PDB file of all heavy atoms in Angstrom:
ATOM      1  N   TRP A  64      -9.224   5.381  21.199  1.00 96.00           N
ATOM      2  CA  TRP A  64      -8.609   6.436  22.012  1.00 96.00           C
ATOM      3  C   TRP A  64      -8.200   7.625  21.138  1.00 96.00           C
ATOM      4  O   TRP A  64      -8.405   8.787  21.515  1.00 96.00           O
ATOM      5  CB  TRP A  64      -7.396   5.855  22.755  1.00 96.00           C
ATOM      6  CG  TRP A  64      -6.586   6.867  23.477  1.00 96.00           C
ATOM      7  CD1 TRP A  64      -6.871   7.472  24.667  1.00 96.00           C
ATOM      8  CD2 TRP A  64      -5.335   7.406  23.060  1.00 96.00           C
ATOM      9  NE1 TRP A  64      -5.877   8.354  25.009  1.00 96.00           N
ATOM     10  CE2 TRP A  64      -4.912   8.333  24.034  1.00 96.00           C
ATOM     11  CE3 TRP A  64      -4.512   7.198  21.947  1.00 96.00           C
ATOM     12  CZ2 TRP A  64      -3.718   9.029  23.927  1.00 96.00           C
ATOM     13  CZ3 TRP A  64      -3.323   7.900  21.845  1.00 96.00           C
ATOM     14  CH2 TRP A  64      -2.953   8.802  22.834  1.00 96.00           C
ATOM     15  N   LEU A  65      -7.631   7.340  19.942  1.00 97.00           N
ATOM     16  CA  LEU A  65      -7.246   8.415  19.023  1.00 97.00           C
ATOM     17  C   LEU A  65      -8.471   9.246  18.625  1.00 97.00           C
ATOM     18  O   LEU A  65      -8.402  10.474  18.564  1.00 97.00           O
ATOM     19  CB  LEU A  65      -6.564   7.844  17.777  1.00 97.00           C
ATOM     20  CG  LEU A  65      -5.157   7.287  17.956  1.00 97.00           C
ATOM     21  CD1 LEU A  65      -4.721   6.501  16.721  1.00 97.00           C
ATOM     22  CD2 LEU A  65      -4.162   8.397  18.256  1.00 97.00           C
ATOM     23  N   LYS A  66      -9.594   8.568  18.396  1.00 97.00           N
ATOM     24  CA  LYS A  66     -10.823   9.275  18.019  1.00 97.00           C
ATOM     25  C   LYS A  66     -11.361  10.091  19.194  1.00 97.00           C
ATOM     26  O   LYS A  66     -11.657  11.276  19.040  1.00 97.00           O
ATOM     27  CB  LYS A  66     -11.880   8.276  17.550  1.00 97.00           C
ATOM     28  CG  LYS A  66     -13.173   8.954  17.165  1.00 97.00           C
ATOM     29  CD  LYS A  66     -14.216   7.982  16.706  1.00 97.00           C
ATOM     30  CE  LYS A  66     -15.490   8.755  16.386  1.00 97.00           C
ATOM     31  NZ  LYS A  66     -16.498   7.929  15.781  1.00 97.00           N
ATOM     32  N   ARG A  67     -11.493   9.472  20.374  1.00 96.00           N
ATOM     33  CA  ARG A  67     -12.037  10.178  21.542  1.00 96.00           C
ATOM     34  C   ARG A  67     -11.168  11.372  21.947  1.00 96.00           C
ATOM     35  O   ARG A  67     -11.665  12.358  22.481  1.00 96.00           O
ATOM     36  CB  ARG A  67     -12.179   9.223  22.730  1.00 96.00           C
ATOM     37  CG  ARG A  67     -13.340   8.284  22.639  1.00 96.00           C
ATOM     38  CD  ARG A  67     -13.559   7.496  23.919  1.00 96.00           C
ATOM     39  NE  ARG A  67     -12.363   6.878  24.474  1.00 96.00           N
ATOM     40  CZ  ARG A  67     -11.806   5.751  24.037  1.00 96.00           C
ATOM     41  NH1 ARG A  67     -12.326   5.117  23.017  1.00 96.00           N
ATOM     42  NH2 ARG A  67     -10.730   5.265  24.628  1.00 96.00           N
ATOM     43  N   SER A  68      -9.863  11.269  21.702  1.00 95.00           N
ATOM     44  CA  SER A  68      -8.941  12.352  22.046  1.00 95.00           C
ATOM     45  C   SER A  68      -8.948  13.470  21.009  1.00 95.00           C
ATOM     46  O   SER A  68      -8.271  14.483  21.183  1.00 95.00           O
ATOM     47  CB  SER A  68      -7.516  11.806  22.186  1.00 95.00           C
ATOM     48  OG  SER A  68      -7.466  10.852  23.213  1.00 95.00           O
ATOM     49  N   GLY A  69      -9.681  13.290  19.926  1.00 95.00           N
ATOM     50  CA  GLY A  69      -9.753  14.303  18.885  1.00 95.00           C
ATOM     51  C   GLY A  69      -8.502  14.348  17.998  1.00 95.00           C
ATOM     52  O   GLY A  69      -8.281  15.335  17.299  1.00 95.00           O
ATOM     53  N   ILE A  70      -7.722  13.300  18.019  1.00 95.00           N
ATOM     54  CA  ILE A  70      -6.487  13.277  17.228  1.00 95.00           C
ATOM     55  C   ILE A  70      -6.786  12.940  15.775  1.00 95.00           C
ATOM     56  O   ILE A  70      -6.320  13.611  14.864  1.00 95.00           O
ATOM     57  CB  ILE A  70      -5.478  12.299  17.844  1.00 95.00           C
ATOM     58  CG1 ILE A  70      -5.087  12.774  19.244  1.00 95.00           C
ATOM     59  CG2 ILE A  70      -4.237  12.137  16.964  1.00 95.00           C
ATOM     60  CD1 ILE A  70      -4.317  11.774  20.077  1.00 95.00           C
ATOM     61  N   ILE A  71      -7.580  11.892  15.553  1.00 96.00           N
ATOM     62  CA  ILE A  71      -7.979  11.509  14.199  1.00 96.00           C
ATOM     63  C   ILE A  71      -9.185  10.591  14.291  1.00 96.00           C
ATOM     64  O   ILE A  71      -9.334   9.819  15.236  1.00 96.00           O
ATOM     65  CB  ILE A  71      -6.824  10.812  13.428  1.00 96.00           C
ATOM     66  CG1 ILE A  71      -7.236  10.584  11.969  1.00 96.00           C
ATOM     67  CG2 ILE A  71      -6.393   9.530  14.111  1.00 96.00           C
ATOM     68  CD1 ILE A  71      -6.084  10.210  11.051  1.00 96.00           C
ATOM     69  N   ASP A  72     -10.051  10.674  13.302  1.00 96.00           N
ATOM     70  CA  ASP A  72     -11.211   9.796  13.236  1.00 96.00           C
ATOM     71  C   ASP A  72     -10.782   8.454  12.632  1.00 96.00           C
ATOM     72  O   ASP A  72      -9.937   8.418  11.733  1.00 96.00           O
ATOM     73  CB  ASP A  72     -12.301  10.433  12.376  1.00 96.00           C
ATOM     74  CG  ASP A  72     -13.623   9.736  12.559  1.00 96.00           C
ATOM     75  OD1 ASP A  72     -14.215   9.855  13.647  1.00 96.00           O
ATOM     76  OD2 ASP A  72     -14.064   9.043  11.620  1.00 96.00           O
ATOM     77  N   ILE A  73     -11.351   7.394  13.138  1.00 96.00           N
ATOM     78  CA  ILE A  73     -10.976   6.050  12.671  1.00 96.00           C
ATOM     79  C   ILE A  73     -11.191   5.899  11.172  1.00 96.00           C
ATOM     80  O   ILE A  73     -10.385   5.272  10.483  1.00 96.00           O
ATOM     81  CB  ILE A  73     -11.770   4.974  13.452  1.00 96.00           C
ATOM     82  CG1 ILE A  73     -11.407   5.037  14.939  1.00 96.00           C
ATOM     83  CG2 ILE A  73     -11.495   3.578  12.905  1.00 96.00           C
ATOM     84  CD1 ILE A  73     -12.297   4.186  15.826  1.00 96.00           C
ATOM     85  N   SER A  74     -12.237   6.509  10.639  1.00 97.00           N
ATOM     86  CA  SER A  74     -12.518   6.388   9.197  1.00 97.00           C
ATOM     87  C   SER A  74     -11.460   7.075   8.340  1.00 97.00           C
ATOM     88  O   SER A  74     -11.363   6.806   7.145  1.00 97.00           O
ATOM     89  CB  SER A  74     -13.909   6.954   8.877  1.00 97.00           C
ATOM     90  OG  SER A  74     -13.955   8.339   9.168  1.00 97.00           O
ATOM     91  N   ASP A  75     -10.645   7.936   8.934  1.00 97.00           N
ATOM     92  CA  ASP A  75      -9.580   8.616   8.199  1.00 97.00           C
ATOM     93  C   ASP A  75      -8.279   7.818   8.183  1.00 97.00           C
ATOM     94  O   ASP A  75      -7.296   8.238   7.567  1.00 97.00           O
ATOM     95  CB  ASP A  75      -9.313  10.003   8.793  1.00 97.00           C
ATOM     96  CG  ASP A  75     -10.505  10.936   8.585  1.00 97.00           C
ATOM     97  OD1 ASP A  75     -11.244  10.762   7.596  1.00 97.00           O
ATOM     98  OD2 ASP A  75     -10.687  11.839   9.422  1.00 97.00           O
ATOM     99  N   LEU A  76      -8.250   6.689   8.881  1.00 97.00           N
ATOM    100  CA  LEU A  76      -7.040   5.861   8.911  1.00 97.00           C
ATOM    101  C   LEU A  76      -7.016   4.917   7.719  1.00 97.00           C
ATOM    102  O   LEU A  76      -8.047   4.406   7.286  1.00 97.00           O
ATOM    103  CB  LEU A  76      -6.979   5.046  10.200  1.00 97.00           C
ATOM    104  CG  LEU A  76      -6.804   5.833  11.490  1.00 97.00           C
ATOM    105  CD1 LEU A  76      -6.873   4.902  12.697  1.00 97.00           C
ATOM    106  CD2 LEU A  76      -5.478   6.590  11.485  1.00 97.00           C
ATOM    107  N   ASP A  77      -5.822   4.667   7.210  1.00 97.00           N
ATOM    108  CA  ASP A  77      -5.599   3.691   6.141  1.00 97.00           C
ATOM    109  C   ASP A  77      -5.102   2.416   6.820  1.00 97.00           C
ATOM    110  O   ASP A  77      -3.893   2.177   6.913  1.00 97.00           O
ATOM    111  CB  ASP A  77      -4.576   4.237   5.156  1.00 97.00           C
ATOM    112  CG  ASP A  77      -4.496   3.429   3.877  1.00 97.00           C
ATOM    113  OD1 ASP A  77      -5.101   2.340   3.814  1.00 97.00           O
ATOM    114  OD2 ASP A  77      -3.827   3.889   2.938  1.00 97.00           O
ATOM    115  N   GLU A  78      -6.040   1.616   7.338  1.00 95.00           N
ATOM    116  CA  GLU A  78      -5.691   0.481   8.193  1.00 95.00           C
ATOM    117  C   GLU A  78      -4.719  -0.515   7.576  1.00 95.00           C
ATOM    118  O   GLU A  78      -3.853  -1.025   8.282  1.00 95.00           O
ATOM    119  CB  GLU A  78      -6.955  -0.221   8.691  1.00 95.00           C
ATOM    120  CG  GLU A  78      -7.626   0.582   9.776  1.00 95.00           C
ATOM    121  CD  GLU A  78      -8.488  -0.275  10.678  1.00 95.00           C
ATOM    122  OE1 GLU A  78      -8.265  -1.483  10.781  1.00 95.00           O
ATOM    123  OE2 GLU A  78      -9.393   0.309  11.292  1.00 95.00           O
ATOM    124  N   PRO A  79      -4.793  -0.835   6.280  1.00 96.00           N
ATOM    125  CA  PRO A  79      -3.823  -1.791   5.733  1.00 96.00           C
ATOM    126  C   PRO A  79      -2.364  -1.321   5.845  1.00 96.00           C
ATOM    127  O   PRO A  79      -1.446  -2.125   5.823  1.00 96.00           O
ATOM    128  CB  PRO A  79      -4.230  -1.936   4.261  1.00 96.00           C
ATOM    129  CG  PRO A  79      -5.668  -1.560   4.222  1.00 96.00           C
ATOM    130  CD  PRO A  79      -5.838  -0.505   5.296  1.00 96.00           C
ATOM    131  N   LYS A  80      -2.162  -0.030   5.984  1.00 97.00           N
ATOM    132  CA  LYS A  80      -0.800   0.502   6.117  1.00 97.00           C
ATOM    133  C   LYS A  80      -0.299   0.538   7.556  1.00 97.00           C
ATOM    134  O   LYS A  80       0.855   0.901   7.798  1.00 97.00           O
ATOM    135  CB  LYS A  80      -0.732   1.920   5.537  1.00 97.00           C
ATOM    136  CG  LYS A  80      -0.860   1.973   4.035  1.00 97.00           C
ATOM    137  CD  LYS A  80      -0.672   3.392   3.549  1.00 97.00           C
ATOM    138  CE  LYS A  80      -0.737   3.468   2.042  1.00 97.00           C
ATOM    139  NZ  LYS A  80      -0.586   4.845   1.566  1.00 97.00           N
ATOM    140  N   THR A  81      -1.149   0.173   8.512  1.00 97.00           N
ATOM    141  CA  THR A  81      -0.755   0.217   9.916  1.00 97.00           C
ATOM    142  C   THR A  81       0.456  -0.681  10.155  1.00 97.00           C
ATOM    143  O   THR A  81       0.479  -1.831   9.736  1.00 97.00           O
ATOM    144  CB  THR A  81      -1.914  -0.224  10.826  1.00 97.00           C
ATOM    145  OG1 THR A  81      -3.018   0.651  10.607  1.00 97.00           O
ATOM    146  CG2 THR A  81      -1.509  -0.183  12.291  1.00 97.00           C
ATOM    147  N   GLU A  82       1.467  -0.121  10.809  1.00 97.00           N
ATOM    148  CA  GLU A  82       2.679  -0.869  11.149  1.00 97.00           C
ATOM    149  C   GLU A  82       2.599  -1.274  12.616  1.00 97.00           C
ATOM    150  O   GLU A  82       2.226  -0.469  13.448  1.00 97.00           O
ATOM    151  CB  GLU A  82       3.917  -0.001  10.935  1.00 97.00           C
ATOM    152  CG  GLU A  82       4.086   0.503   9.509  1.00 97.00           C
ATOM    153  CD  GLU A  82       5.167   1.558   9.418  1.00 97.00           C
ATOM    154  OE1 GLU A  82       6.268   1.341   9.969  1.00 97.00           O
ATOM    155  OE2 GLU A  82       4.894   2.620   8.821  1.00 97.00           O
ATOM    156  N   VAL A  83       2.956  -2.522  12.892  1.00 97.00           N
ATOM    157  CA  VAL A  83       2.881  -3.043  14.257  1.00 97.00           C
ATOM    158  C   VAL A  83       4.171  -3.771  14.579  1.00 97.00           C
ATOM    159  O   VAL A  83       4.685  -4.538  13.764  1.00 97.00           O
ATOM    160  CB  VAL A  83       1.721  -4.051  14.412  1.00 97.00           C
ATOM    161  CG1 VAL A  83       1.644  -4.565  15.833  1.00 97.00           C
ATOM    162  CG2 VAL A  83       0.411  -3.439  13.976  1.00 97.00           C
ATOM    163  N   LYS A  84       4.681  -3.523  15.775  1.00 96.00           N
ATOM    164  CA  LYS A  84       5.859  -4.252  16.241  1.00 96.00           C
ATOM    165  C   LYS A  84       5.702  -4.520  17.734  1.00 96.00           C
ATOM    166  O   LYS A  84       5.418  -3.603  18.505  1.00 96.00           O
ATOM    167  CB  LYS A  84       7.130  -3.466  15.987  1.00 96.00           C
ATOM    168  CG  LYS A  84       8.366  -4.226  16.430  1.00 96.00           C
ATOM    169  CD  LYS A  84       9.650  -3.588  15.978  1.00 96.00           C
ATOM    170  CE  LYS A  84      10.777  -4.492  16.391  1.00 96.00           C
ATOM    171  NZ  LYS A  84      11.978  -4.248  15.688  1.00 96.00           N
ATOM    172  N   LEU A  85       5.875  -5.770  18.113  1.00 96.00           N
ATOM    173  CA  LEU A  85       5.893  -6.120  19.525  1.00 96.00           C
ATOM    174  C   LEU A  85       7.269  -5.760  20.055  1.00 96.00           C
ATOM    175  O   LEU A  85       8.269  -6.344  19.637  1.00 96.00           O
ATOM    176  CB  LEU A  85       5.608  -7.617  19.718  1.00 96.00           C
ATOM    177  CG  LEU A  85       5.650  -8.124  21.156  1.00 96.00           C
ATOM    178  CD1 LEU A  85       4.548  -7.488  21.996  1.00 96.00           C
ATOM    179  CD2 LEU A  85       5.531  -9.642  21.182  1.00 96.00           C
ATOM    180  N   LEU A  86       7.340  -4.784  20.941  1.00 96.00           N
ATOM    181  CA  LEU A  86       8.627  -4.343  21.471  1.00 96.00           C
ATOM    182  C   LEU A  86       9.078  -5.199  22.644  1.00 96.00           C
ATOM    183  O   LEU A  86      10.274  -5.439  22.808  1.00 96.00           O
ATOM    184  CB  LEU A  86       8.546  -2.878  21.918  1.00 96.00           C
ATOM    185  CG  LEU A  86       8.218  -1.860  20.837  1.00 96.00           C
ATOM    186  CD1 LEU A  86       8.116  -0.465  21.438  1.00 96.00           C
ATOM    187  CD2 LEU A  86       9.257  -1.898  19.724  1.00 96.00           C
TER     188      LEU A  86
END
Side-chain angles (χ1 to χ4, degrees):
W64 173 77
L65 288 168
K66 179 180 178 173
R67 284 188 312 281
S68 299
I70 297 168
I71 187 167
D72 194 69
I73 297 170
S74 63
D75 293 332
L76 294 175
D77 192 351
E78 285 204 24
K80 290 184 177 179
T81 300
E82 301 169 48
V83 181
K84 182 170 184 162
L85 178 64
L86 299 177

